[in-house]
Each structure stands twice: as C-alpha cells, then as structure tokens.
Amino acid sequence: RADHLGCYGYPRPTSPFIDSLAREGALCKDASAAASWTKPSTGTILTGLHPSRHGALYHGSLLHLPEGKETLAEAFRNRGYVTAGFVATPNLKKVFAFDRGFDVYFDSPVEDTVTLACIRGTWFGGLLMTLLRHQFNWNYENDCARMNQEVLAWLDKNHQQRFFLYLHYIDPHIPYDPPAAYREQFAQDHGFVLFNERKRKVGIDLYDGEIRYTDDGLKELVEKLCELGVWENTLLVLTSDHGEEFFEHGVLGHGFSLYQEVVHVPLILRGPNVPAGRVLERPVQLVDLAATVMDLAGAGLPVFGD
C-alpha cells in the first residue's frame, strides 16, 4: 500500500532506497490498481486491459486476450527486445498463461496447478493457509534475495541487448515473515493487547519489515544495473498489484474490498524522458501503465504533461 512508503508520507524508515528513486524520477500520488488482489491486477499491468477483458479474474483462471491484442512483453519482443519475467507468486505461474511474450519466465520453484489455485480460493483453502503457514508461505522459497539471484544472473547475460524485464517480488504479502534483522528493526512493545488489535499492530510491524527487506533487494538490483553500465539508460517503473488492510474496515489482508488501503498503490517512474522530482497529483490508473511504458521506452512521447 502506498501510504507505507516514506515518499508517500509514512514516518517509519521502510523505504529509503525507493524514496531516493522518487526524488530522481516522477511520483504519482494517486495511483489505483485495477483490482484488490494479484491475478486480475497484474493481468492489467501486463496487458493494459481491464480484468473483464483479459479474463484473469479468479483463482484458477487463465490470462487470455481478445483477438489482435498483445501483452506488454509481446509488444516489446515484437520490437526487438529480449524479454524476461521473474515472479515469486504462484498466481502468475506459466500454467495460468502469464508467460505470454516472455523469452525467459522464471516462476519460482514452488509447484502450483489450476486445481490447487481453485482450492486456495475457498474457505477450506483459507483454513489450510492458516494452519499450514510454512507450507503456504512462498516467501520461504522465493524471497527477494532468492529472486535476485536469478535476475542478476540473467542481467549479466543480457544487459548488452535492449531488454524488457518484469520482476514481481512477493515479500510484503501475507503471511508476513521478514528476516530476523528486519523483524527486529520494526518490532515494538505493544503491551497487553489481544485478538484483532494484536494482529493489527504486530502485522503492521512485520509488514513494514517486509517492505524494508524488499527495499534493500531493489537497491541490490539497481546497483547491478549501475555496475553493468546500463542504469542511466534504463526506465524503471515501481508499482504494486495491491495494498493491504489492517482492520480499517473490519478485515486483515486484501481481495475482500475496493477500499483505498488495497487499491491505492505506489507508482514511481525513473529514467530517460522522466522529469526528476516530478509529483503528479491527479489520479491515474494502472490500466494505462502499459501504454505509458511503451511511449517512454519507444517514441518518448510527453506523457508527463500538465
């Protein structure tokens, strides 16, 4: 959620590196995701289509486009770019057709099937995730450090070509379990509180630790781009597929509503043709992000007008 980053006014030090990217680029203050959970929202990011058009609406559903439409990865590949996707969430695995247009698609060592995805979307699946937390916590297998191992190796081999890279970290996501150093950095003594209030307070501490861990992972990625000599010619877009509720409206998590806590997401762009230090106040939607990225990377059209 946007309001847990320093550049969006959050007082805790969750995002020092992301904040520096915002200062060097453009920050959209009021960006809205197309949905409140991963599959439909990411489908929109990668296609520029509303969920009702790209079809990835439910657990178990596949990404499919109307005839004549192409994904963002296909658009770049058709223009001579090498394309790669690295995703840590099982909602975006190849089995759901999210690899469309990618020359390389790393979708994590965690196995998934359409059947398992459908089960996760049921009441019984929710109970299993609560009882079998470790088994259903994909962060254990695919945290940002593990993802970066794959991504940095790919960059070593491909940085001399024009490339389109999609990287989807999962760390700031239920169930929250940051590494010990990040857990300790944000842990507070909440005194004697029980039930939902304890879940809320402890959950926020863990969530903030996950964000800071991802912030450091993103810094490692950019340092690699600098080392390879391609950073200043790289357009970086940072956003999120959804936010998170902490009982502001009676629930913990996401996917249950369209409140601001889950659809107001960060959106930061940094690189060629992006004015440094720009803050866009007007509302924007991630459904327009694919076209914006194509404009900036291709013709360099002035998408940041007044």
Side-chain angles (χ1 to χ4, degrees), residues 248-263:
E248 291 91 348
H249 308 281
V251 297
L252 174 70
H254 58 274
F256 311 106
S257 72
L258 295 174
Y259 289 114
Q260 280 293 88
E261 289 80 9
V262 285
V263 297

Side-chain angles (χ1 to χ4, degrees), residues 54-72:
H54 64 61
L57 293 167
Y58 312 106
H59 286 290
S61 60
L62 280 62
L63 184 73
H64 61 268
L65 277 66
E67 185 176 353
K69 298 294 183 181
E70 57 186 3
T71 67
L72 188 56

Side-chain angles (χ1 to χ4, degrees), residues 133 176-188 202 205-206 209:
R133 187 169 183 270
Y176 320 121
D177 190 28
Y182 298 87
R183 176 191 296 264
E184 293 166 4
Q185 180 178 356
F186 291 93
Q188 300 181 82
V202 173
D205 290 346
L206 295 173

Side-chain angles (χ1 to χ4, degrees), residues 73-88:
E74 287 175 316
F76 275 109
R77 187 168 68 179
N78 292 339
R79 288 159 178 80
Y81 286 69
V82 293
T83 59
F86 297 83
V87 301

Side-chain angles (χ1 to χ4, degrees), residues 61-139:
S61 60
L62 280 62
L63 184 73
H64 61 268
L65 277 66
E67 185 176 353
K69 298 294 183 181
E70 57 186 3
T71 67
L72 188 56
E74 287 175 316
F76 275 109
R77 187 168 68 179
N78 292 339
R79 288 159 178 80
Y81 286 69
V82 293
T83 59
F86 297 83
V87 301
T89 167
N91 282 309
L92 307 180
K93 289 181 74 67
K94 293 176 185 177
V95 69
F96 304 122
F98 276 83
D99 62 330
R100 179 170 168 173
F102 288 104
D103 299 315
V104 172
Y105 197 75
F106 176 83
D107 58 357
S108 82
V110 173
E111 294 299 326
D112 200 24
T113 65
V114 173
T115 301
L116 286 176
C118 291
I119 291 174
R120 281 202 310 275
T122 66
W123 176 89
F124 178 67
L127 177 62
L128 283 178
M129 289 187 68
T130 300
L131 297 176
L132 306 176
R133 187 169 183 270
H134 180 93
Q135 287 82 350
F136 280 87
N137 188 351
W138 306 285
N139 300 6

